[in-house]
Every structure is written in C-alpha cells, then in structure tokens.
Amino acid sequence: MKIILLGPPGAGKGTQAQRLQQERGMVQLSTGDMLRAAVASGSDLGVKAKAIMERGDLVPDALMVGLIEQRIAQPDCAKGFILDGFPRTTAQAEALDRMLAAMGVKLDRVIEMEVDEAALTERIVGRFSCAKCGAGYHDKFKQPAKRGVCDSCGHTEFSRRKDDNAETVKTRMAAYRAQTEPLLPYYRAKGVLRGVDGMAEMGEVYRQIVRILDGT
Ligand code: ADP
Ligand code: ADP
Ligand code: ZN
C-alpha cells in the first residue's frame, strides 16, 4: 500500500507511521526526519533548510520534491510506503502525482488525521524522542514503560526539537492552513481521501487507520 498521512503539526502522523512501519512493513518516509538528518550532517540541503525550519516556514518545493524523488525510487519503497509530512503544498502534490505516474505506482489512500487545533500545542510542546532510534514519546500522553529508558532500543538519552515551542507552532499552523489544507479538496476530488479521529487515543487511531487500509 502507498499512502499519505495528512494533518497539522502534532496530529500524530509520525506516531502512526512508526507503528505502521513496525507492524506492517511499510516504509515511513518522513520529510521532517530527512531534513533534520540533513541539518545534522551539514549537507547543502541542511544548510539551506536549517533557518527555515527554525522559523516554522516551509522549505522550498523544488528541494522537497528532489528529496522525495530520490527516496521513493529506492527498492525498499516498492513494498509500500507512508508519506509523513509530504506533500505539504499543491505544487508538491502535483509533482508527486507525476513521479508516481512515471513509476507506474498508484496512490491507494490519503488519510486525514482530524484534530482540534487547541490540542496540538499541548501535543507539540510535550513531544520528545529517543536520541538513538527516534521512537516518539510525550511528557503526558506517552512516557516510556520504564521512565527514562526507550521502549524500542533501551537507550537513555532523549531529544526535543528546537521548533517544538509555542511560538514556532503558530507559524507552522499558519503554514498548514494556508498551504497544506488545500490538499484536502485536491485528494477528495480524486476519491482517495479518508478521515480518522485524531483526537482518539493512539491505539484507537491506529485501529481506524488499519480498518481503512484493510478495507481497500
Ligand atoms: P506529527 O508527526 O503529526 O507532528 P507526532 O506523531 O509526533 O505528530 O505526535 C505529536 C505528539 O503527540 C507526540 O509527542 C506523540 O507522542 C503525541 N501523540 C500522538 N498521537 C497522540 C494521540 N492520539 N493522543 C495523544 N497524544 C498523541
Ligand atoms: P510536524 O509534523 O510537527 O509539522 P515535520 O517534522 O513534518 O513537523 O516538519 C518539520 C519542518 O520541516 C517543517 O516545519 C518544515 O519547515 C520542514 N518540512 C518538512 N516537510 C516539508 C515539506 N514537505 N515541505 C516543506 N517543508 C517541510
Ligand atoms: Zn530508542
């Protein structure tokens, strides 16, 4: 299956994509994670993206399309992927359509994660992740089973994103509303859009997603 998880920052895209990757062998393609890796490595892309990400604005379409185009052509993506954080603009969505058509690949579903805006800031400011394997956690909603120890890999160091603060969240929400929300009618018109209740607890959200995937 080839799917897109669509929703505002903090909606739970990464959380669900990680679980789908673990349990269903689909590959998580998180453009945010790819960009953070580029920033950490100091590559050309990282140098260009760093300040933009810290402000909460979107990285230019041409850079993002190039990044996904390379990644999606890798052999591991043939068994199925979850786009997490891409596309975020109409230009990116159109470029993705062209890419998939050229590869002869069909997009199965776009799953919208519907969440009240009021809940998002709380989710984002409490977010942290394992510094080694990237497993996602939350101060209030998802602590590791043993405090301070990653459930997935046993590591004891965690990190928080620099852009996960109340101030930057405002810019990121505005970017979502202005540039990403127009993708909902775009995919609805193609007949691939489905919605899940992103306000439900994580396990319930996962079950709703699986029901959509297994129903297709
Ligand atoms: P996104 O990738 O859409 O930005 P994340 O998956 O990183 O969102 O989730 C943001 C934060 O909210 C994380 O700390 C995560 O643990 C937490 N979270 C994710 N889904 C839920 C949920 N259904 N209920 C409560 N907290 C959640
Ligand atoms: P979240 O899901 O919490 O919004 P991400 O990890 O997906 O965060 O993205 C972090 C930042 O990386 C964004 O605020 C933006 O600057 C940049 N980014 C990620 N994906 C894209 C994309 N497809 N187009 C443009 N910028 C992107
Ligand atoms: Zn870990």
Side-chain angles (χ1 to χ4, degrees), residues 8-15 123 127 137-138 141 198 200-202 205:
K13 304 180 296 295
T15 301
R123 286 200 187 171
R127 165 161 62 188
Y137 296 100
H138 192 279
F141 305 122
E201 58 86 23
M202 293 172 211
V205 179

Side-chain angles (χ1 to χ4, degrees), residues 7-17 28 84 88 113 120 122-124 126-128 136-139 141-142 161 172 197-203 205:
K13 304 180 296 295
T15 301
Q16 299 301 331
Q28 177 190 12
D84 160 14
R88 256 175 156 97
M113 306 189 60
L120 296 173
E122 185 185 21
R123 286 200 187 171
I124 289 175
R127 165 161 62 188
F128 64 98
Y137 296 100
H138 192 279
D139 291 329
F141 305 122
K142 193 189 179 190
R161 283 166 47 180
R172 289 160 59 197
D197 175 15
M199 294 300 290
E201 58 86 23
M202 293 172 211
V205 179

